[in-house]
Amino acid sequence: MAAEDRLRTYRGKRDFERTREPSGGQASQGGGRPRFVVQIHDARRMHFDFRLQVGDVLKSWSVPRGPSADPGDKRLAVPTEDHPLAYEDFEGVIPKGEYGGGTVIVWDRGTYEPLSHDRRGRPVDFAESLERGHATFRLHGAKLRGEYALTRFRGRDGEDAWLLVRKGPTGAGHGTPDPRRARSVRTGRTLAQVAADGGEG
């Protein structure tokens, strides 16, 4: 499926005359590895958006409590629509009344290594491992570093949800920040500073 088709839901929810969110396009690539980004989004409810580049889109999950560096801490990750690769750089204010209205900062970003294998130890295509409902990967970010896994499960409401879990030893990289005090890895600003600037900068 082409990126245009995968982004139909994303584009259908947004008025690009009003929001500065990217309608498409490519983000910069780092060393040929796929990219990841974690954004803090102060919308109706404060949450973290966790995004992994899979092909020509960012597969996305809303993580209410953010990623954790503690392997014993399983974090709910609710799937959302695919986003364009250029969303990796998005930081600003989504206007009130628009889908996801609120302030966004880029808390962390970098590259990741797919680590998924089948039962015989052979590498599995990352998109395929997500389709199967379990994917492991190693993050190389400014704040998040180390091995993580996403595992799908059926929620109480019958909808698919995922768990985002840190694998291996605790302590590599940062833990979950206080979102109101966290700073953007891109501009060094807090949510309040981005909101005060009207999303410019």
Side-chain angles (χ1 to χ4, degrees):
M1 186 187 297
E4 293 297 313
D5 295 330
R6 283 192 287 273
L7 294 175
R8 185 175 291 132
T9 301
Y10 169 86
R11 290 184 177 130
K13 292 181 174 183
R14 291 163 174 83
D15 178 354
F16 295 106
E17 299 280 319
R18 296 196 66 224
T19 182
R20 292 190 183 118
E21 295 168 281
S23 60
Q26 301 291 312
S28 58
Q29 298 300 303
R33 282 186 181 158
R35 309 281 299 166
F36 85 92
V37 63
V38 180
Q39 287 152 315
I40 300 176
H41 190 173
D42 186 9
R44 189 167 47 89
R45 289 189 180 135
M46 180 82 73
H47 63 277
F48 292 71
D49 288 310
F50 184 77
R51 311 190 198 281
L52 296 170
Q53 178 187 355
V54 180
D56 48 10
V57 296
L58 292 170
K59 302 299 281 185
S60 299
W61 293 262
S62 171
V63 183
R65 293 172 53 218
S68 174
D70 179 354
D73 214 355
K74 297 180 171 87
R75 296 293 170 95
L76 177 67
V78 179
T80 63
E81 72 276 11
D82 293 347
H83 282 52
L85 295 181
Y87 213 93
E88 175 194 344
D89 295 322
F90 178 71
E91 184 165 286
V93 178
I94 301 169
K96 189 173 181 179
E98 281 297 296
Y99 176 76
T103 307
V104 177
I105 63 169
V106 177
W107 179 67
D108 196 20
R109 64 181 175 182
T111 62
Y112 76 92
E113 291 175 65
L115 299 175
S116 297
H117 291 80
D118 65 17
R119 291 178 182 168
R120 296 181 181 173
R122 294 178 298 205
V124 173
D125 176 75
F126 195 71
E128 185 181 329
S129 66
L130 285 173
E131 281 292 318
R132 292 180 179 182
H134 182 75
T136 56
F137 47 93
R138 182 173 292 114
L139 298 179
H140 300 277
K143 298 171 182 176
L144 293 177
R145 294 182 292 278
E147 191 174 328
Y148 284 78
L150 276 162
T151 304
R152 185 173 55 218
F153 70 97
R154 184 75 62 174
R156 279 180 277 182
D157 58 3
E159 296 291 318
D160 281 351
W162 296 71
L163 292 175
L164 176 65
V165 181
R166 169 91 164 107
K167 311 278 279 181
T170 304
H174 292 229
T176 308
D178 172 349
R180 300 220 176 266
R181 299 182 64 183
R183 293 194 172 270
S184 164
V185 73
R186 194 175 149 244
T187 62
R189 297 181 297 171
T190 63
L191 285 164
Q193 288 170 327
V194 171
D197 293 341
E200 299 290 346

